[in-house]
Amino acid sequence: MCCNCCSPPPGRCLYGATLEELPPTFDQDILEGCRSPPKLSSYSGWVLDRVISRSLQETPLSRSSTPNESIPHTDDQPPSLAKITSPASELGSSPLSSAAPSESKGNEDLRLLETDHKVHLLVLPSKVTEVEGCIWMYKEVHRLKGKEGLRQRQEQQEQMMRVVSDMASEQLKRFDELKELKQHQEYQDLQEVMEKSSREAQGQQEKLKEEHRHRAKILNLKLREAEQERQRQEELERLRKEEGQERLRRLYSIQEEVLQLNQQIDPNYRHKDLPRIDLSGFSNRGNQICGLVSGLIRTTSERGFPTQVDVANTERALQEMRGLISSMQQEIATALEEKRKRDEEEERERKKELQKQEQLKAQTPVPAQHPRGKEQKEVLGLQVKAEESTMQWYQQLQDASDQCVASFSGLTDCKDNQVKNIRMDLQKAASIPVSQISSIAGSQLREIFDKINNLLSGKSVQSGGRTVSVTQHPQGLDFVYYKLAEKFVKQGEEEVASHHEAAFPIAVVASGIWELHPRVGDLILAHLHKKCPYSVPFYPAFKEGTPIEEYQRILGYQVKDSKVEQQDNFLKRMSGMIRLYAAIIQLRWPYGNKQVTHPHGLGHGWRWMAQMLNMEPLSDVTATLLFDFLEVCGNALMKHYQVQFWKMLLLIREDYFHRIEAITISGQMGSLMRLKQFLEKCLQRKEIPLPKGYLPSSFWRS
C-alpha cells in the first residue's frame, strides 16, 4: 500500500485526471491490478540492478548521514523515490528503451520520462515499487498525452482560425467586388438619367423657342392693332374736342340766358292787393339754378370739355328757370283768386269755431284724474293745445336730439374713406341687433341686449365679420346713441305696425337699455315725438306761412314727391309707435337692478291718458290711438291704479266717446266701433285681458 500523500483528491484518479477524462477501461484495469496477487514487474530486475549499483557507490555518504537527511520528496515523484542525477549514457542502456521496441509511442514516452526525471528507486518491496512506479509512469504518460493533445488542439484552433480568416478575406473581397459593381451600376443609371434630362431639357428649350416665336408673332400683331387703335383714338379725340368745344359754347349761351331770366325776378316786388306775397322763394330758386349752371360750367372746365349729360342738365336748368318765371307770373295772377277763396274759407272756419265753442260751454266740464291724488282742475272745455309743461318737456327732448346730431357732425360730414367706413360699421352695429329682436327665445333676446350694451359701454363687438367699437372715433358714442334710438322707433313704425305682438320683445330690450343708458331713452322719446306727436300728446297747430306739405309732415304724415300718404297707412304707423310706447312704460328688463325704478314707467302712461282726455279729439286718430294704448297697457294700468283706472274708463265711455262720435264721419267709424266694443267688454267683465304677445316668465327660461 502507498502512503496517504499519494492518494488522489476526491473525484480524481492517482494520475491527477478526473474520472470523466480517463478512458472507459482505465479504471477497470487499475482495479484489476490491485485485485491480482502481487508479482514482480518485468522492470524490477532493471530497477534492482540500478539501485544496488548506485547504493554501493553512495555507501560512505549514507553512513555519515542521518536518517533524516534522505532525499526529499517532490510532487512529481512517488514518496519512495528521490531525485538523483545520472549520466545520459545510463538512460541509453536502460531496459525501457528495449522493453517494447515495436511500440514507438511508448518508447518516446519513456525517453521523455528518463530525460525529465532521472531518479533511482530506493530499495523497497517489489510489489510496492512496481505499483508506485506504474502509477508514476502512467501519470507522467497521461500528462504528456495531455500536453500533446493540447498542442494538437491549439494547432487545430490555429488552423481553423486561418481557415476562417481566409474565408472572411474572401467574403470581404466578394463584398468589395459587389459594392464596386453596384457603384458602377448606379453611375451608369445616373449617367442615363442625366442624358435623359439633357434630352428633355433640349426638347423643352426647343418648345420654348417655338412658343417664343409664336408669341413674337402675336405681339407684332398686337402692336399693329395698337397702332391702328391709337390712330383711331386720335381721330376720336379730335372729334371729341370739336364736339366738346361746341357743347361748351352751348353751355355759355345757356348760362347767359339763365342769368338774363334771373334778372327778371325781383324779390322786392309787392302787389297792392297782395301785400304779403313773397317772391323770395322764386328768387332763391333762380339763384340756385344760376349757381347750378355756373358750377356745371366750372366743373366741366376743370375736367376738360362738357359731356352731353352736362348739356342736358344745363338745358333742364334753363327749362326750370323758364318754368320758374312762368310760375312767378301765374302766382301773381292767381294770388287774388286764392286770397278771395282763403278769406271765404277763413270766414266759414270762424263761424264753425264759434259754434263749437258755444257747444262746449253748454256741456258740463270734466276734470282730469291724477293717480297721485293731486288737486283736480275744473275746466270749462277741452283743450286744443297741450299743457305748457308738456310742451316744455317736448321742446327739451327735441333740443337734446338736435344737440346730439350736432355733436357727431364731424363724423357724418367727413369725406375721408376710413371715417366713412367707421360710420357705416357703427350704424350697422347699432341697427342690425335691433332688427334681429324677436319673441323666439329669451336667450336670444339676452344675447342681443348684451351686444347692444357692450357696444354702448365702449367694448368691442362683432358686426358683419368686423370688430367695431365706439372708441374708434371721438364722436362714435353720440352717433350710436342717436342711431340706436332712431332704429327702435323705426321698428315700432314698421315692425310693430305690421305685427302687434312684436311690440313686447322690442320694448323690453329698449327698456333695459334705457335703464342703463338714460340718454338713449331721451333720444327714443325725441324720435317718437317727432314722428308721432300724438305720443306727447299734442296736436301741432298750423302756423301762417308754413307750406301745407311741411305742416303735414309735422302732423306725422309721410310726404313724397308732393304726395301725402293714405290715411290707413298713416294710422297704421301711428298705431305701431303708440303700441311700442305703451309696451315700454310697463316692461322692465328682467335681469336689471330691481331696486331702481323704471326710467319711464306707468305714471307717464297715466299722464298720457289724462292729457288725451283733456284735449279735443281728432277724427279717426284719437279713437285708434286710445284703443291701441288700452289694449297694450290697459291690464298693467288696471293692476296699478285699480279703482281710479275704472273711473277713467267710465269717463271715456260716458262722455269722451260721444265727443269722438260727434266728429267722426261715416267712413271712419271702424276705429270708433273697435274702441266702443273694447270698453263695453272690459267694463262688463271688470277685467282687461293680457295683450297678445305678452312675454310670460317662462319665456326667459327658453
Side-chain angles (χ1 to χ4, degrees):
M1 296 299 291
C2 62
C3 61
N4 292 334
C5 62
C6 296
S7 62
R12 291 185 176 269
C13 65
L14 292 173
Y15 306 102
T18 61
L19 296 177
E20 289 81 0
E21 294 174 352
L22 294 177
T25 60
F26 180 74
D27 53 354
Q28 298 175 3
D29 294 340
I30 296 299
L31 294 175
E32 187 64 28
C34 294
R35 294 192 189 98
S36 63
K39 62 181 179 178
L40 292 175
S41 174
S42 57
Y43 301 102
S44 61
W46 173 77
V47 172
L48 290 175
D49 291 339
R50 301 296 295 179
V51 170
I52 293 170
S53 61
R54 178 60 66 183
S55 312
L56 294 176
Q57 293 175 6
E58 296 179 355
T59 300
L61 179 62
S62 64
R63 288 177 181 176
S64 59
S65 303
T66 62
N68 295 331
E69 292 177 357
S70 60
I71 301 171
H73 297 282
T74 62
D75 294 338
D76 296 334
Q77 296 176 349
S80 61
L81 297 178
K83 278 190 177 182
I84 58 174
T85 305
S86 63
S89 61
E90 293 178 4
L91 294 174
S93 62
S94 171
L96 294 174
S97 60
S98 60
S102 61
E103 298 176 2
S104 59
K105 189 173 183 180
N107 294 334
E108 183 179 0
D109 295 336
L110 290 175
R111 285 194 299 271
L112 293 172
L113 177 62
E114 292 174 357
T115 304
D116 295 338
H117 305 278
K118 297 175 182 180
V119 298
H120 294 281
L121 298 174
L122 297 176
V123 180
L124 293 172
S126 60
K127 183 63 175 177
V128 175
T129 303
E130 182 182 0
V131 171
E132 290 183 357
C134 289
I135 290 173
W136 182 81
M137 284 190 297
Y138 275 110
K139 183 176 180 182
E140 291 297 323
V141 168
H142 279 282
R143 186 177 64 80
L144 295 174
K145 285 182 180 180
K147 286 184 178 182
E148 181 64 20
L150 179 61
R151 182 184 60 78
Q152 291 177 0
R153 186 172 295 178
Q154 287 178 349
E155 291 177 355
Q156 290 177 359
Q157 291 291 336
E158 290 175 357
Q159 185 179 0
M160 188 181 297
M161 290 295 293
R162 285 192 297 272
V163 172
V164 172
S165 178
D166 294 339
M167 290 176 63
S169 299
E170 291 297 327
Q171 289 180 359
L172 184 59
K173 290 179 182 180
R174 302 292 85 75
F175 177 75
D176 292 339
E177 292 173 356
L178 180 61
K179 184 176 180 182
E180 185 178 357
L181 177 61
K182 287 184 178 180
Q183 289 178 351
H184 182 67
Q185 290 177 352
E186 290 177 356
Y187 175 74
Q188 288 181 347
D189 294 341
L190 181 60
Q191 189 174 7
E192 291 177 359
V193 171
M194 292 177 65
E195 291 176 356
K196 184 178 179 181
S197 299
S198 178
R199 289 193 297 270
E200 291 179 354
Q202 289 177 359
Q204 186 70 16
Q205 188 175 6
E206 292 296 332
K207 185 178 179 180
L208 291 174
K209 288 181 180 179
E210 183 63 27
E211 291 181 357
H212 178 71
R213 287 192 292 269
H214 179 67
R215 290 180 180 178
K217 292 180 181 179
I218 295 175
L219 288 174
N220 290 333
L221 291 175
K222 289 184 177 180
L223 286 173
R224 287 195 294 271
E225 292 177 357
E227 181 63 23
Q228 294 175 1
E229 181 67 21
R230 186 184 63 80
Q231 294 176 358
R232 286 196 299 270
Q233 290 295 334
E234 288 179 353
E235 183 65 20
L236 291 175
E237 182 66 18
R238 186 181 61 81
L239 295 175
R240 189 182 68 82
K241 287 182 179 180
E242 292 179 356
E243 293 177 356
Q245 291 175 355
E246 181 65 26
R247 295 193 193 102
L248 188 59
R249 286 192 291 270
R250 173 62 178 161
L251 288 181
Y252 287 148
S253 63
I254 291 174
Q255 184 183 22
E256 184 180 1
E257 185 176 355
V258 167
L259 292 174
Q260 291 176 356
L261 291 174
N262 188 47
Q263 291 177 357
Q264 298 179 11
I265 302 175
D266 185 7
N268 297 323
Y269 174 79
R270 292 290 184 271
H271 194 275
K272 60 180 181 178
D273 295 330
L274 298 172
R276 293 184 179 181
I277 190 171
D278 187 8
L279 301 181
S280 59
F282 294 99
S283 178
N284 293 335
R285 184 55 187 164
N287 292 331
Q288 291 176 0
I289 294 173
C290 292
L292 176 63
V293 174
S294 300
L296 285 173
I297 294 176
R298 183 169 53 256
T299 303
T300 54
S301 299
E302 295 174 354
R303 190 173 58 218
F305 294 100
T307 62
Q308 189 63 35
V309 176
D310 296 331
V311 176
N313 290 334
T314 54
E315 288 180 350
R316 281 197 298 271
L318 177 60
Q319 294 298 329
E320 185 178 358
M321 179 61 77
R322 292 172 179 172
L324 189 66
I325 297 298
S326 300
S327 299
M328 183 188 68
Q329 294 173 353
Q330 291 177 2
E331 183 74 16
I332 296 173
T334 58
L336 291 174
E337 183 65 22
E338 291 180 358
K339 182 178 181 300
R340 184 182 59 81
K341 292 180 180 180
R342 188 166 55 253
D343 292 342
E344 293 177 356
E345 184 68 22
E346 289 177 356
E347 185 66 22
R348 286 195 298 270
E349 289 293 333
R350 191 180 300 107
K351 291 180 180 179
K352 187 176 180 180
E353 183 67 24
L354 291 174
Q355 291 176 358
K356 286 183 179 181
Q357 290 179 1
E358 291 176 357
Q359 292 175 359
L360 291 176
K361 289 179 181 179
Q363 295 175 353
T364 304
V366 180
Q369 303 292 332
H370 195 279
R372 301 293 183 181
K374 291 184 178 181
E375 296 181 357
Q376 301 177 356
K377 296 187 299 181
E378 294 185 358
V379 293
L380 298 177
L382 297 181
Q383 302 172 356
V384 179
K385 297 174 61 177
E387 294 180 358
E388 184 178 356
S389 60
T390 301
M391 294 307 301
Q392 290 178 355
W393 175 58
Y394 165 80
Q395 192 60 45
Q396 289 175 359
L397 292 174
Q398 296 304 316
D399 292 342
S401 177
D402 294 339
Q403 291 175 3
C404 184
V405 173
S407 66
F408 60 80
S409 60
L411 179 62
T412 55
D413 298 339
C414 185
K415 304 300 181 181
D416 183 65
N417 291 331
Q418 184 177 0
V419 177
K420 288 182 179 179
N421 292 333
I422 294 174
R423 183 175 68 244
M424 292 300 298
D425 291 342
L426 290 175
Q427 185 169 353
K428 290 179 181 178
S431 302
I432 292 177
V434 180
S435 302
Q436 295 173 344
I437 295 175
S438 65
S439 57
I440 296 176
S443 58
Q444 182 190 24
L445 277 188
R446 190 168 187 178
E447 290 178 2
I448 294 173
F449 177 86
D450 291 341
K451 190 172 184 179
I452 298 173
N453 184 39
N454 289 338
L455 179 65
L456 297 177
S457 300
K459 299 179 181 178
S460 298
V461 298
Q462 293 294 324
S463 177
R466 300 180 64 178
T467 302
V468 183
S469 174
V470 294
T471 58
Q472 292 176 327
H473 195 276
Q475 302 173 359
L477 183 59
D478 292 336
F479 180 76
V480 172
Y481 279 154
Y482 187 85
K483 290 299 179 182
L484 182 63
E486 183 181 44
K487 185 61 179 179
F488 273 121
V489 176
K490 191 173 182 180
Q491 284 295 100
E493 184 182 10
E494 297 176 356
E495 183 66 20
V496 180
S498 301
H499 307 91
H500 293 168
E501 62 274 8
F504 294 96
I506 298 173
V508 73
V509 175
S511 176
I513 297 297
W514 192 337
E515 183 175 328
L516 295 177
H517 306 277
R519 193 174 178 188
V520 176
D522 293 341
L523 292 173
I524 288 175
L525 289 176
H527 283 288
L528 185 66
H529 293 170
K530 188 173 183 179
K531 288 191 173 184
C532 178
Y534 314 104
S535 62
V536 177
F538 90 102
Y539 308 146
F542 179 78
K543 295 181 180 179
E544 187 176 357
T546 303
I548 300 299
E549 296 178 359
E550 182 63 25
Y551 179 63
Q552 288 172 335
R553 289 191 182 95
I554 295 174
L555 291 176
Y557 288 89
Q558 290 183 347
V559 181
K560 295 181 180 179
D561 298 331
S562 301
K563 294 182 179 179
V564 184
E565 66 176 333
Q566 297 294 327
Q567 183 71 8
D568 293 341
N569 188 60
F570 166 74
L571 292 176
K572 182 180 179 181
R573 291 191 304 104
M574 298 298 110
S575 173
M577 287 184 280
I578 286 296
R579 284 178 175 271
L580 177 62
Y581 179 68
I584 288 176
I585 63 177
Q586 65 174 306
L587 292 178
R588 295 196 63 182
W589 181 245
Y591 303 103
N593 188 357
K594 303 298 183 181
Q595 298 179 354
V596 179
T597 59
H598 195 295
H600 197 79
L602 288 173
H604 291 271
W606 183 270
R607 178 195 59 80
W608 185 87
M609 285 283 295
Q611 291 193 6
M612 282 289 290
L613 298 180
N614 282 333
M615 297 177 68
E616 284 286 350
L618 295 179
S619 176
D620 210 11
V621 174
T622 303
T624 300
L625 299 185
L626 281 175
F627 170 75
D628 292 327
F629 189 86
L630 289 173
E631 188 179 43
V632 175
C633 195
N635 181 269
L637 290 172
M638 175 194 69
K639 292 178 180 180
H640 189 74
Y641 294 108
Q642 299 179 355
V643 177
Q644 295 294 333
F645 178 74
W646 291 112
K647 290 181 179 180
M648 182 175 285
L649 289 188
L650 287 173
L651 174 65
I652 295 173
R653 188 185 68 174
E654 300 297 334
D655 183 77
Y656 200 73
F657 181 80
H658 299 294
R659 293 176 180 272
I660 301 174
E661 188 177 15
I663 62 170
T664 303
I665 60 177
S666 59
Q668 299 174 348
M669 295 297 292
S671 58
L672 185 65
M673 296 307 298
R674 284 194 299 271
L675 177 62
K676 182 179 180 181
Q677 293 173 3
F678 178 81
L679 292 172
E680 290 179 351
K681 182 179 179 180
C682 293
L683 290 171
Q684 182 179 0
R685 297 181 179 181
K686 296 189 179 300
E687 183 181 5
I688 297 180
L690 282 172
K692 184 180 179 181
Y694 187 82
L695 302 178
S697 58
S698 59
F699 170 79
W700 301 104
R701 295 192 293 270
S702 59

